Amino acid sequence: FDRLLVAKKMKKEKLLLYTVCCLSIASKYNNSFYPQLSAYVKEVNGAFKEDDIIEKELKVIMKVIIKLK
């Protein structure tokens, strides 16, 4: 996540989406019980939808996989 912040300039809303996305990925990796995406959407007062989080999760995971190859 820190590398993402350094590499790109982005709007506050997009930064919030990537933050939630990375939190979601980390919680799924580290915990057997993790928050539902709706909980994240509620915390950000509906700034984005669950589908937005899923889309960014996939994007982040694909970039990580590519860099690991």
Side-chain angles (χ1 to χ4, degrees):
F1 181 72
D2 294 338
R3 290 182 185 181
L4 176 69
L5 291 177
V6 172
K8 294 186 174 193
K9 288 187 176 188
M10 62 180 72
K11 293 182 180 180
K12 186 177 179 180
E13 294 81 18
K14 194 169 185 180
L15 176 61
L16 182 60
L17 178 56
Y18 274 105
T19 302
V20 169
C21 168
C22 291
L23 282 171
S24 177
I25 292 169
S27 69
K28 289 174 184 174
Y29 180 76
N30 289 320
N31 302 315
S32 56
F33 298 102
Y34 49 86
Q36 297 292 320
L37 294 179
S38 59
Y40 292 120
V41 172
K42 185 177 178 184
E43 285 296 318
V44 296
N45 296 321
F48 39 82
K49 298 180 273 185
E50 292 176 29
D51 290 342
D52 298 328
I53 299 170
I54 294 168
E55 180 182 318
K56 293 300 178 196
E57 282 180 346
L58 183 59
K59 193 173 192 178
V60 168
I61 290 169
M62 292 304 293
K63 286 205 180 240
V64 169
I65 289 171
I66 289 170
K67 290 195 179 210
L68 290 176
K69 287 185 175 184

